[in-house]
Amino acid sequence: PWGMALKQSLTNKPFIMVMALYLLSWTTASIVAAVLIYFANYYLGVPDQANYFVLAAQGSAILFIPIVVLLSKRLDKRRAFMIGAASWAVFLLAISFILPDQLTLAYLLAALSGFGIATAYVVPWSMVPDVVEYDELRTGQRREGSYYAFASFFQKLATGVALWGIGLALAYTGYITPQPNMPPPVQPQEAINAIRFFIGPLSAVLLSLAILFAWKYPITRESHKATLQELADRER
């Protein structure tokens, strides 16, 4: 029954842990993707290069994906996520505290933050199959569709909440909406401070909470191997 399936899915502790760290890290990714353009426009003062900052971060994330996969194999998924999220928090804090004239450093930090972005893209999704097998061992049923549906829902929820929160905060601080065919307006200091807060301290707090959930994640490489072995024994 759908009610029982829903209850079993939402009481699966490893799944709750994965969704928590995924929600927090994906919210951070959504914030960075949205705020980096504002940061380049109004803090660094290079509106013509705003898209290049996003490209530096997202493009380097693609290059970092094989490294994240290798790290997950060498250690395990939980430790790989903690390392990636911790480094990401450090780089984002560094970006928020650089001076407006440190353009080269800004590009370097944006590119290095791609390691954390790649971690948020790859590792949580790779944890979901482990959760499915844990659930199969517990309930005798495989419900990939249910778990991936929840994961997709939480991804969209994180993006929506992040963009809504950014818009609300900027409106509260007096953000001036740019007009078509006009140069970027001079923003009040409160709005610029909010932009720096979003990209640095707030993102670091969200990632720290994600690391906490990853640390408490109960499925290790050893326990997952035991789960697979027990499932194989059941099929004999």
Side-chain angles (χ1 to χ4, degrees), residues 20-22 24-25 81 85 205-215:
L21 64 88
Y22 179 53
L24 291 163
S25 60
F81 180 85
V205 169
L206 294 176
L207 291 172
S208 297
L209 292 174
I211 291 170
L212 179 62
F213 280 106
W215 180 60

Side-chain angles (χ1 to χ4, degrees), residues 26-38:
W26 191 264
T27 300
T28 303
S30 300
I31 289 173
V32 171
V35 175
L36 205 56
I37 294 178
Y38 294 101

Side-chain angles (χ1 to χ4, degrees), residues 76-148:
D76 63 19
K77 299 170 185 177
R78 181 177 67 94
R79 293 188 180 93
F81 180 85
M82 294 171 68
I83 293 171
S87 67
W88 195 13
V90 171
F91 291 134
L92 291 178
L93 279 173
I95 289 175
S96 69
F97 284 107
I98 64 174
L99 299 176
D101 59 349
Q102 294 178 305
L103 199 57
T104 302
L105 180 59
Y107 271 108
L108 176 61
L109 292 173
L112 291 175
S113 70
F115 177 63
I117 297 173
T119 301
Y121 285 166
V122 172
V123 178
W125 281 104
S126 71
M127 290 177 166
V128 176
D130 302 345
V131 171
V132 171
E133 287 153 351
Y134 172 88
D135 182 63
E136 182 183 6
L137 183 64
R138 186 181 65 154
T139 66
Q141 300 180 28
R142 290 188 67 91
R143 293 192 297 252
E144 292 95 334
S146 175
Y147 286 112
Y148 278 102

